[in-house]
Amino acid sequence: MSKLIITAAVNGGITGRDKNPNIPYTPEEIANAVYDCWNAGASIAHIHARGRDGAPSYDEAVFEEIVARIRNRCNILINLSTSGFNLPPDKEKRVAWNHLKLRPDIASFNCGSLNHGSKPFINPPALARELANDMQTYGVKPEVEVYHCGIIGEAQALVDSGHLTAPLSYNFALGIPGGAPATCKSLLHLVESIPPGSHWSALAIGKGQLPINLHTMLLGGHVRTGFEDNVYYRYGELAKSNAQLVERIVRYAQDIGRPVASSAEARAMLRIAPVKTFEEA
Ligand code: ZN
């Protein structure tokens, strides 16, 4: 089994401090949380930006400060969110919103739709092709977000049309109302539905997080944990930090004999080129 890549999704764009006061909002708080997760064993950080009030931010300066602060402190791979509800209708604004110009190592790639709880989360094929082109332009590795099985076919169509390059990196996001449930059977079905040789990781939201993390580790996949998906350490007990969740995954990995990948090892496994400075890019 390959070494385990742990992604820390430190904040997300939805859950607020009313649910857990330890969720990082500001660039400094986000960079501190990421640094602590890196020290704990995470090799990728998945990041959203927030305003001071906690609302999602798409401000370029905020994203730029987050990336710069993290790059200054550690070599963790940066995975920026490109998704969001209510994306602006004109292309120029959308490009500004996806922040690929900052050359993250990885970015989330949405090419399928679902009802995300009470809200429709719509990613039509034309938008996915546009995002794929932007990722090629800026040399960013797409992480295909899979909420249900149909999205695997949507991604394959983009490989067939030359917009994406195989082998793809899939992230199975389980337990979202309207998407695939956070069950072992559901995870297995998704894993068996992707082409051999693909890279995959999985997450589940809320109480599904730890059980799916454990199934994933045993199946040879890679793990995502963090406050974006769940803010509890166990039933009735809030997690103190993102790093606390990462530390637990590292302990389980050690107990089952699955070594944890460093950031440099994760970069090599995912075949991601070394970081370019903004000037070189
Ligand atoms: Zn996210």
Side-chain angles (χ1 to χ4, degrees):
M1 233 181 248
S2 67
K3 287 195 173 185
L4 177 69
I5 297 173
I6 301 172
T7 296
V10 294
N11 58 352
I14 297 174
T15 309
R17 285 188 181 150
D18 54 324
K19 301 285 193 306
N20 185 324
N22 302 314
I23 295 174
Y25 282 175
T26 67
E28 186 178 10
E29 290 165 354
I30 292 168
N32 287 341
V34 167
Y35 183 66
D36 291 345
C37 288
W38 177 73
N39 274 323
S43 48
I44 301 175
H46 171 71
I47 297 158
H48 293 242
R50 303 284 191 111
R52 292 206 163 265
D53 60 353
S57 170
Y58 301 95
D59 187 327
E60 194 163 352
V62 176
F63 271 93
E64 194 165 347
E65 186 182 345
I66 293 168
V67 170
R69 281 179 179 273
I70 294 170
R71 296 267 194 242
N72 272 339
R73 294 185 74 181
C74 63
N75 69 344
I76 198 164
L77 278 75
I78 296 179
N79 172 339
L80 292 185
S81 169
T82 60
S83 72
F85 295 97
N86 310 317
L87 285 177
D90 68 281
K91 156 88 179 146
E92 290 297 304
K93 266 198 169 167
R94 281 199 300 274
V95 172
W97 271 34
N98 69 31
H99 307 292
L100 298 175
K101 280 191 264 186
L102 297 175
R103 313 261 173 176
D105 302 291
I106 306 164
S108 60
F109 182 83
N110 284 291
C111 59
S113 303
L114 81 159
N115 288 325
H116 197 296
S118 59
K119 289 183 186 172
F121 183 47
I122 308 295
N123 297 285
L127 200 64
R129 287 194 292 271
E130 180 186 295
L131 185 58
N133 288 340
D134 288 347
M135 289 204 173
Q136 283 186 353
T137 301
Y138 294 106
V140 179
K141 186 175 185 70
E143 177 190 77
V144 178
E145 308 303 328
V146 176
Y147 307 100
H148 55 72
C149 199
I151 293 177
I152 295 170
E154 303 260 15
Q156 188 56 43
L158 290 165
V159 171
D160 296 343
S161 63
H163 290 87
L164 295 177
T165 306
L168 293 179
S169 194
Y170 300 87
N171 180 40
F172 304 130
L174 306 182
I176 295 167
T183 62
C184 200
K185 271 189 179 177
S186 172
L187 178 64
L188 255 183
H189 177 58
L190 291 168
V191 173
E192 289 175 349
S193 300
I194 58 176
S198 304
H199 177 92
W200 69 274
S201 61
L203 69 90
I205 63 166
K207 66 183 181 187
Q209 182 179 64
L210 184 59
I212 290 297
N213 285 167
L214 298 177
H215 288 312
T216 297
M217 276 194 267
L218 295 172
L219 287 170
H222 302 282
V223 160
R224 172 170 135 174
T225 187
F227 283 166
E228 176 164 351
D229 308 327
N230 163 53
V231 296
Y232 286 92
Y233 189 74
R234 57 172 70 89
Y235 182 75
E237 180 185 329
L238 291 176
K240 294 187 183 72
S241 65
N242 283 282
Q244 188 189 20
L245 297 170
V246 174
E247 284 161 7
R248 175 164 60 184
I249 297 298
V250 170
R251 283 200 304 276
Y252 276 117
Q254 285 166 344
D255 285 350
I256 62 167
R258 183 126 186 242
V260 173
S262 68
S263 296
E265 288 168 338
R267 184 178 291 284
M269 288 161 71
L270 290 163
R271 295 190 202 139
I272 296 174
V275 178
K276 291 179 186 158
T277 62
F278 299 142
E279 290 73 34
E280 288 170 339

